Amino acid sequence: MRENLFNEFEEVSAKQWKQKIQYDLKGADYNETLVWKSLDGINVKPFYHAEESPEPVQLNSPLNWHVTEQIYVSSAEKANKKAQESLRKGAESIWFILPSEEIALKELFEGLDPEVPIYLKPEFASEAFFLKLDEQVKPESNVFLQFDIIGNLARSGNWFKDQQEDYKILDVLLQKCQNLRSFISVDLGLYQNAGATIPQQLAYALAHVNEYFNHIGDKPEVSKKAKFQFLVSVGPNYFFEIAKIRALRLLFSTLSSEYGFDTSCDIISQPTRRNKTLYDYNVNLLRTTTECMSAVLGGSNSVCNMAYDAIYHKNNNFGSRIARNQLLILKHESYFEKVANPAEGSYYIETLTHEMADKALDIFKNIENGGGFVTQLKEGIIQKKISESAANEQQAFDEGKLVLVGTNKYPNPQDKMKNELELYPFVKQKPRKTLLQPVIEKRLSEKTEQERLQKEESTNGEK
């Protein structure tokens, strides 16, 4: 007969725990001493209890997530070769970035298993190209096109062509493409990498989606085929990022059900660039590992890792292999694919999920009351809010409260990077005419790194 080993212990209520803590503090203020106030506006308590925990969020999280590799298609032949090599070495899906329409599609797909999920992210909008792509794709293939006209507006400051033409291309994509599995894509990563708080990221994603819902809601021939995918950049705050992805599913399910759409969505996650550093770059391996763990435990469908040297080296086999192997270890040696929705029931994460969703919903309502996401982008309100949050985070980094080891804490003076740079690792803006101010991504350590590089240069000059 099985017995409960803990029956002899009396239950301790949340009130009793707090009384004990306050007694041990010997007069110190409970909130000032033990409650941590995050930059996201979340107050983290010293303990969480079943009495105060909200109902567990029921999510359609995947049991099996895909190890995804991203490939920039400068040449269809080279991209195809790299994709096949990546699949042989453990990748389970491929994410092609398409820079132009001049891509030999037949060569790009040559020899690829039709069951392997292929994501295509075009950096352009072309009705002719999309229809041609649809002809090249076999009906049994798992080829997904990621198309996001509003995300392009936020990132570049311009529509692909103009607002009317962009939406027309979206409608054609959803109506006429039969073989291609189309995603309306929403890029949260832009806002995260620019410095937005987690509630802001969630709210902007929700408002972003709502623009599409408003467009396709009265077009049944279009809305039936509309599937949504979120591109998520995962930050370093381990439990917060798990809760962020869960809150995203909760918010999307809530909003889409109001419109009568499919409440499921696809999420592809990758580590943020915001906290990656040029100096002591091996620490980036630790950062990307915990960020990928958050992505999996939060319930991502696909996880695409980032090479530890991605900010200053061109794509290389060694960096790609290490990034891919990090995910393979998580999946096959750490058994991260054995349980769906593993965070369910955690008092802390369930509370964070609800708090983030509530804060995001408040921001979303303000955006809608202010005319919607596109209107507030054009007025510069979204950009201003992100800049304010980014400035707070940057100040915390500059003051050493937000630590990046090897950069603003414990820097190695012998670490020289001047001769290692193959890529320009800092924000570089080309002056161009834009419809609105674009949302600019920027790493926290850029200013510090530029100062160190200048010192290296002056030291070499003296020698």
Side-chain angles (χ1 to χ4, degrees):
M1 180 178 176
R2 299 180 63 181
E3 295 181 6
N4 192 325
L5 297 177
F6 301 101
N7 281 341
E8 60 190 275
F9 297 100
E10 294 183 7
E11 289 188 12
V12 181
S13 67
K15 183 179 180 181
Q16 287 174 303
W17 273 115
K18 192 166 184 179
Q19 286 174 342
K20 173 60 177 171
I21 291 169
Q22 287 178 321
Y23 174 80
D24 289 343
L25 285 173
K26 303 184 187 308
D29 184 85
Y30 175 89
N31 290 319
E32 290 295 327
T33 307
L34 297 180
V35 176
W36 169 54
K37 299 175 177 60
S38 76
L39 291 172
D40 300 293
I42 305 289
N43 291 333
V44 180
K45 299 183 293 185
F47 75 97
Y48 289 81
H49 195 280
E51 292 177 7
E52 301 170 343
S53 178
E55 285 293 317
V57 179
Q58 303 297 319
L59 300 171
N60 294 320
S61 295
L63 175 61
N64 185 32
W65 51 277
H66 292 128
V67 175
T68 303
E69 186 134 351
Q70 188 180 88
I71 299 172
Y72 186 84
V73 185
S74 56
S75 159
E77 183 181 357
K78 290 180 180 178
N80 176 272
K81 183 178 179 181
K82 186 173 182 181
Q84 299 212 38
E85 181 183 2
S86 298
L87 291 168
R88 283 195 301 270
K89 293 184 176 181
E92 297 165 325
S93 61
I94 300 296
W95 189 2
F96 285 128
I97 308 299
L98 309 179
S100 76
E101 300 176 46
E102 307 302 319
I103 294 170
L105 294 173
K106 187 175 181 180
E107 290 182 16
L108 184 64
F109 297 125
E110 186 71 33
L112 294 178
D113 187 337
E115 293 187 4
V116 172
I118 304 292
Y119 302 110
L120 303 175
K121 185 178 182 182
E123 296 180 338
F124 56 88
S126 168
E127 178 181 331
F129 179 86
F130 294 157
L131 292 174
K132 179 183 175 183
L133 176 62
D134 187 59
E135 292 175 0
Q136 290 288 333
V137 173
K138 298 176 182 178
E140 66 273 15
S141 297
N142 287 316
V143 179
F144 303 89
L145 184 71
Q146 303 165 328
F147 192 53
D148 184 12
I149 57 180
I150 297 172
N152 180 72
L153 175 67
R155 184 181 293 276
S156 69
N158 287 316
W159 299 99
F160 284 112
K161 300 179 184 298
D162 60 58
Q163 184 171 0
Q164 184 176 356
E165 183 65 19
D166 283 6
Y167 273 113
K168 179 187 172 186
I169 293 172
L170 175 64
D171 292 344
V172 167
L173 178 64
L174 294 176
Q175 289 179 46
K176 295 186 178 181
C177 291
Q178 301 299 319
N179 301 326
L180 196 61
R181 303 190 184 191
S182 307
F183 276 136
I184 297 178
S185 184
V186 177
D187 188 358
L188 282 76
L190 172 63
Y191 314 124
Q192 198 281 339
N193 281 295
T197 65
I198 289 177
Q200 285 176 330
Q201 295 168 47
L202 294 170
Y204 298 157
L206 205 61
H208 195 141
V209 167
N210 201 48
E211 293 285 341
Y212 289 125
F213 280 160
N214 287 330
H215 172 71
I216 65 179
D218 58 348
K219 300 178 180 179
E221 72 281 5
V222 173
S223 60
K224 288 179 183 177
K225 293 187 66 178
K227 301 291 182 183
F228 285 83
Q229 183 185 63
F230 293 94
L231 313 182
V232 178
S233 283
V234 181
N237 197 331
Y238 186 69
F239 293 109
F240 274 44
E241 293 294 330
I242 294 173
K244 177 177 85 175
I245 296 173
R246 300 177 83 250
L248 176 60
R249 285 197 185 276
L250 175 62
L251 289 167
F252 178 78
S253 176
T254 303
L255 183 64
S256 58
S257 64
E258 291 295 318
Y259 283 89
F261 283 98
D262 183 0
T263 59
S264 62
C265 63
D266 191 89
I267 295 177
I268 182 167
S269 298
Q270 55 188 153
T272 179
R273 296 176 68 89
R274 188 157 172 77
N275 68 336
K276 302 305 178 289
T277 57
L278 181 59
Y279 289 91
D280 213 348
Y281 49 77
N282 286 322
V283 181
N284 291 334
L285 285 166
L286 304 177
R287 296 178 181 125
T288 54
T289 298
T290 63
E291 289 158 9
C292 288
M293 289 168 68
S294 294
V296 174
L297 297 176
S300 300
N301 298 85
S302 303
V303 182
C304 178
N305 198 9
M306 172 185 177
Y308 73 98
D309 59 350
I311 62 171
Y312 67 93
H313 272 171
K314 295 176 183 177
N315 288 341
N316 60 88
N317 290 333
F318 182 77
S320 297
R321 179 167 67 87
I322 295 296
R324 183 170 56 249
N325 286 348
Q326 286 174 265
L327 294 176
L328 292 174
I329 289 170
L330 287 180
K331 185 162 190 176
H332 300 296
E333 295 186 28
S334 302
Y335 303 107
F336 266 49
E337 91 288 13
K338 297 299 183 185
V339 180
N341 197 14
E344 182 179 356
S346 164
Y347 305 149
Y348 179 37
I349 296 177
E350 294 289 2
T351 302
L352 286 178
T353 301
H354 281 275
E355 288 186 1
M356 288 176 181
D358 289 342
K359 287 182 178 295
L361 205 54
D362 288 340
I363 298 171
F364 168 72
K365 289 175 181 177
N366 288 334
I367 292 171
E368 293 307 305
N369 290 334
F373 189 68
V374 171
T375 297
Q376 293 217 332
L377 270 178
K378 291 179 178 179
E379 293 173 354
I381 297 172
I382 301 294
Q383 296 90 323
K384 181 182 177 183
K385 294 291 185 182
I386 294 175
S387 295
E388 290 170 354
S389 299
N392 291 334
E393 191 178 23
Q394 188 69 54
Q395 183 179 353
F397 171 82
D398 294 342
E399 293 175 354
K401 296 175 183 176
L402 196 162
V403 175
L404 293 182
V405 173
T407 302
N408 68 338
K409 288 287 185 182
Y410 317 113
N412 179 6
Q414 305 305 317
D415 193 2
K416 308 296 182 184
M417 292 299 295
K418 188 70 180 176
N419 297 326
E420 290 288 329
L421 303 184
E422 296 177 0
L423 300 171
Y424 186 75
F426 310 115
V427 172
K428 192 173 184 180
Q429 288 182 267
K430 297 178 181 178
R432 64 183 188 276
K433 187 177 180 180
T434 59
L435 180 66
L436 52 85
Q437 178 189 347
V439 176
I440 304 298
E441 298 177 319
K442 185 177 180 181
R443 293 182 300 108
L444 286 166
S445 58
E446 289 197 14
K447 182 180 177 182
T448 303
E449 291 168 352
Q450 285 176 314
E451 292 171 352
R452 286 186 66 175
L453 286 171
Q454 288 171 359
K455 286 181 181 179
E456 283 185 43
E457 193 168 0
S458 61
T459 302
N460 291 337
E462 291 173 2
K463 292 180 181 179

